[in-house]
Amino acid sequence: GYGTTSECLAHGVPMVFVRRDYFNEEPFLRKLLEVNGASVEMPRRDFFAGRWEPYLNAALRLDVHYEGALDGAEVVATAAERVAAGEVEH
């Protein structure tokens, strides 16, 4: 989900994933991981058969290059403080 994806990107750790049916956010998360060189997809049949090694090895060769901001909590806290202080209309 979002939490795992954001942690992997923030720390430069590649992710091996298996597609999840009916998970509406998946296309967006997959694209985010893909454009940052951060993921390897493992087919479900290989996951359940225990054939993980080639995917793990492929992930270890990735060069994760996320350049986005990592201070979202700070941005939200600052905005909330400004609203509370009456500096901005809410």
Side-chain angles (χ1 to χ4, degrees):
Y2 283 109
T4 303
T5 299
S6 63
E7 290 294 322
C8 287
L9 290 173
H11 296 286
V13 176
M15 175 192 291
V16 176
F17 72 93
V18 177
R19 285 192 192 202
R20 291 172 53 187
D21 295 333
Y22 310 109
F23 180 54
N24 294 335
E25 291 84 2
E26 182 180 318
F28 306 104
L29 295 175
R30 289 182 67 212
K31 182 68 171 180
L32 183 62
L33 289 165
E34 181 181 305
V35 300
N36 289 286
S39 67
V40 173
E41 181 178 354
M42 181 188 307
R44 188 169 289 156
R45 68 182 174 278
D46 288 344
F47 176 80
F48 286 116
R51 291 188 292 267
W52 296 14
E53 186 175 1
Y55 306 98
L56 295 173
N57 287 333
L60 291 173
R61 291 190 299 272
L62 293 177
D63 178 27
V64 180
H65 53 267
Y66 181 70
E67 307 273 331
L70 300 175
D71 64 343
E74 187 176 321
V75 170
V76 171
T78 300
E81 286 174 347
R82 290 185 67 213
V83 169
E87 297 173 16
V88 208
E89 288 189 35
H90 51 274

